[in-house]
């Protein structure tokens, strides 16, 4: 900092966080560099909300990520919110699939239930979806292919002007037992590019968020796509085993497993 800026001792903690702490001051005001950085972050957050998703580019990236055809041909859909302004002012319409999309999915549904439907939704950050969704799908497809179980997957879908709950209707129409929604998260001033993942067992319209498990902050400066994919596969397996999701299903991927030598005996029973 220049001699005109009074430093702040807490600034050293900035190496651990993107939070705006220890900014210092110039007289009684913020230093100009910090003010400009704030304005840039605010502009990036607004761009993330309003910039349309580049669907052709995303579809091409997804085709590459799903080159083995595990999730079939990607299907493009739209919510009942006809444009961005409507989407922002009418959250309820973002949760409903358009009539055209509903009719299209009805032609794709199979009589035999599939295990999982993956739905990609622009949400509130096209950056988050554009930059991270295909990479996460690529890792998830590889892990599902290598898993011991032969997972039956519904066609991959991409939804414009959608919110999380639209996955429930899509999962039901595709006759899927579980649905995973990848969605752009509401941007913060240091994270305009975050992707969130929501898992729901037994999807159907009308469910509340207590029925979902969430993995958030997936981005290069946050949770990596490799780690997010590992956690998601764990939750998918457990949801399938327990036949539930949401508050009844805990992410225990970080738990330490202590093996007890000598069978079931331990120091409490000896």
């Amino acid at each position: 900092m220049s001699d005109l800026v009074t430093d702040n001792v807490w600034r050293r903690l900035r190496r651990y966080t993107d939070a705006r702490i220890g900014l210092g001051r110039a007289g009684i005001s913020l230093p100009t560099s910090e003010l400009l950085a704030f304005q840039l972050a605010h502009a990036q957050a607004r761009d993330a909300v309003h910039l349309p998703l580049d669907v052709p580019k995303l579809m091409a990236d997804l085709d590459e990520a799903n080159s083995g055809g595990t999730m079939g041909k990607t299907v493009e859909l739209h919510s009942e919110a006809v444009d961005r302004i409507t989407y922002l002012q009418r959250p309820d319409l973002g949760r409903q699939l358009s009539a055209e999309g509903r009719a299209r999915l009805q032609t794709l549904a199979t009589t035999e239930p599939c295990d999982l439907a993956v739905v990609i939704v622009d949400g509130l950050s096209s950056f988050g979806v554009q930059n991270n969704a295909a990479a996460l799908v690529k890792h998830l497809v590889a892990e599902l292919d290598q898993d011991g179980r032969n997972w039956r997957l519904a066609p991959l879908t991409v939804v414009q002007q959608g919110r999380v709950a639209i996955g429930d209707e899509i999962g039901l129409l595709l006759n899927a037992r579980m649905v995973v929604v990848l969605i752009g998260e509401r941007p913060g001033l240091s994270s305009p590019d975050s992707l969130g993942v929501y898992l729901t067992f037994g999807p159907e319209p009308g469910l509340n968020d207590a029925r979902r498990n969430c993995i958030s902050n997936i981005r290069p400066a946050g949770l990596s796509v490799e780690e997010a994919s590992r956690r998601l596969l764990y939750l998918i397996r457990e949801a399938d085993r327990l036949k539930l999701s949401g508050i009844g299903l805990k992410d225990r991927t970080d738990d330490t497993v202590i093996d007890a030598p000598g069978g079931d005996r331990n120091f409490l029973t000896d």
Side-chain angles (χ1 to χ4, degrees):
M1 290 187 177
S2 73
D3 294 339
L4 297 178
V5 175
T6 301
D7 201 359
N8 185 305
V9 296
W10 295 104
R11 189 175 183 82
R12 69 187 67 175
L13 298 180
R14 290 289 299 272
R15 56 182 165 172
Y16 301 114
T17 177
D18 291 330
R20 286 182 165 77
I21 58 175
L23 302 182
R25 61 183 174 83
I28 60 171
S29 302
L30 284 174
T32 300
S33 60
E34 297 294 348
L35 182 61
L36 292 175
F38 176 85
Q39 291 175 335
L40 174 62
H42 187 253
Q44 289 173 329
R46 289 178 60 88
D47 284 350
V49 172
H50 292 286
L51 189 70
L53 183 66
D54 186 344
V55 177
K57 173 70 165 55
L58 177 62
M59 299 280 274
D61 291 344
L62 290 172
D63 286 343
E64 183 178 350
N66 183 36
S67 58
T70 302
M71 293 186 181
K73 185 174 177 56
T74 306
V75 179
E76 184 180 348
L77 302 169
H78 206 288
S79 75
E80 286 281 18
V82 295
D83 54 33
R84 199 59 171 171
I85 296 299
T86 305
Y87 172 81
L88 294 173
Q89 295 181 349
R90 291 287 306 273
D92 56 319
L93 296 181
R95 302 185 184 105
Q96 301 171 31
L97 197 59
S98 68
E100 294 80 5
R102 196 174 300 118
R104 188 174 184 188
L105 290 187
Q106 286 171 338
T107 66
L108 298 175
T110 57
T111 54
E112 184 180 0
C114 60
D115 295 311
L116 182 68
V118 177
V119 181
I120 299 173
V121 185
D122 51 4
L124 286 168
S125 172
S126 60
F127 288 166
V129 175
Q130 204 83 59
N131 297 340
N132 304 304
L136 181 55
V137 167
K138 183 176 183 178
H139 280 277
L140 181 61
V141 166
E143 295 202 42
L144 289 171
D145 284 343
Q146 295 171 6
D147 198 57
R149 174 171 174 174
N150 183 25
W151 294 95
R152 298 188 305 276
L153 305 179
L156 190 63
T157 52
V158 173
V159 187
Q160 295 182 70
Q161 312 298 356
R163 295 182 183 267
V164 173
I166 202 168
D168 296 336
E169 185 176 11
I170 294 173
L172 181 66
L173 288 169
L174 290 174
N175 203 10
R177 296 190 306 112
M178 292 177 281
V179 64
V180 169
V181 176
L182 279 58
I183 187 168
E185 292 183 338
R186 185 186 304 275
L189 287 175
S190 60
S191 55
D193 58 343
S194 283
L195 183 74
V197 175
Y198 292 82
L199 168 68
T200 307
F201 185 89
E204 59 179 347
L207 299 181
N208 60 38
D209 289 340
R211 290 284 299 274
R212 317 184 201 287
N213 290 86
C214 177
I215 302 172
S216 66
N217 196 31
I218 303 168
R219 60 192 182 103
L223 188 69
S224 69
V225 292
E226 294 85 354
E227 179 64 14
S229 178
R230 185 180 72 87
R231 290 173 183 263
L232 179 57
L233 182 61
Y234 170 86
L235 289 172
I236 290 172
R237 286 172 174 161
E238 287 298 285
D240 181 59
R241 183 176 69 87
L242 299 171
K243 312 303 180 195
L244 57 80
S245 60
I247 58 175
L249 176 60
K250 302 302 180 187
D251 178 2
R252 301 191 185 282
T253 51
D254 289 333
D255 286 3
T256 300
V257 177
I258 302 175
D259 293 328
D264 295 333
R265 298 188 64 79
N266 58 51
F267 73 94
L268 292 174
T269 57
D270 285 341

